[in-house]
Amino acid sequence: MKDLITAVASLMLLLLFVLQFAGNQNLHTRMFRADMAIENFRDAAGLQGYISDENRSLLSESLAGICGCSPEEILVEAEDSRQPKPEGTLLHYRVGYPLKDLVAAAAMLGILPEENRVWMEDEGWVVSRFYISEKPSVSEEENAE
C-alpha cells in the first residue's frame, strides 16, 4: 500500500511537468499571435501615415481575443493625430496587454489567478510611409485658355 501511495504521488508530480510543457506551448503561441497583431497594427499605421482610432480598437479587440480578457484591459497609447503625416515621419505607440495562465496547474500548486499573470508591453516607433503628392500648380495663363 505504501508503494501505491508513493507511485500515485510521483505520477501526479510528473504530470505537472507534462501539463506545464503543454501550457508553455500555448503561452508561446499566444505571445506570437499578439506580436503578429501588433505588427499588423504597425503596418496599418505606417501605410495610413497616422494611428487611427479604428486601428486602436481593432488592435484592442484582437489582443483581447488572443489573451482572453476584455478590450478595456488592453492599453493602446499613440500620438493623437487625425491627419496623415508625411513620408518618413516617426509615429510613437505603446501597447500593453495581460497574459494569463502562466502556470498550467496553478490551482494545484496554490497559485492565485492574480499571481498567475504577467503584463506585457511593446513600445516603439513606426515610420510613416504615406506619400503626400504635391499637386502641380496651374498657372493663370492655363486657366484663361
Side-chain angles (χ1 to χ4, degrees):
M1 188 66 172
K2 174 176 73 170
D3 291 338
L4 177 66
I5 293 172
T6 305
V8 168
S10 298
L11 285 174
M12 288 181 68
L13 286 176
L14 290 175
L15 184 62
L16 287 177
F17 290 106
V18 174
L19 287 174
Q20 188 58 44
F21 178 77
N24 283 348
Q25 295 298 315
N26 185 14
L27 179 65
H28 286 286
T29 301
R30 287 186 289 151
M31 289 172 65
F32 178 75
R33 289 178 58 207
D35 284 343
M36 291 286 77
I38 293 171
E39 188 64 32
N40 290 341
F41 167 76
R42 289 171 42 95
D43 285 344
L47 289 173
Q48 289 179 343
Y50 69 103
I51 299 171
S52 66
D53 291 336
E54 180 184 354
N55 283 342
R56 291 181 202 195
S57 64
L58 283 174
L59 178 63
S60 292
E61 291 170 11
S62 177
L63 286 176
I66 291 168
C67 299
C69 62
S70 67
E72 290 79 29
E73 292 181 75
I74 307 295
L75 168 75
V76 180
E77 292 180 353
E79 295 177 5
D80 240 359
S81 68
R82 303 286 186 246
Q83 300 291 328
K85 304 284 185 184
E87 186 175 19
T89 305
L90 293 176
L91 308 169
H92 182 260
Y93 73 93
R94 185 170 148 226
V95 178
Y97 55 96
L99 278 178
K100 301 175 182 178
D101 301 328
L102 300 176
V103 179
M108 186 174 168
L109 297 172
I111 299 173
L112 299 174
E114 297 83 30
E115 298 169 342
N116 194 17
R117 63 187 310 170
V118 66
W119 181 257
M120 300 291 290
E121 278 196 13
D122 186 357
E123 183 173 9
W125 299 88
V126 178
V127 178
S128 171
R129 298 185 304 262
F130 185 79
Y131 180 71
I132 300 175
S133 63
E134 295 183 25
K135 296 180 181 176
S137 62
V138 179
S139 66
E140 292 179 14
E141 294 175 0
E142 292 175 2
N143 282 338
E145 296 177 356

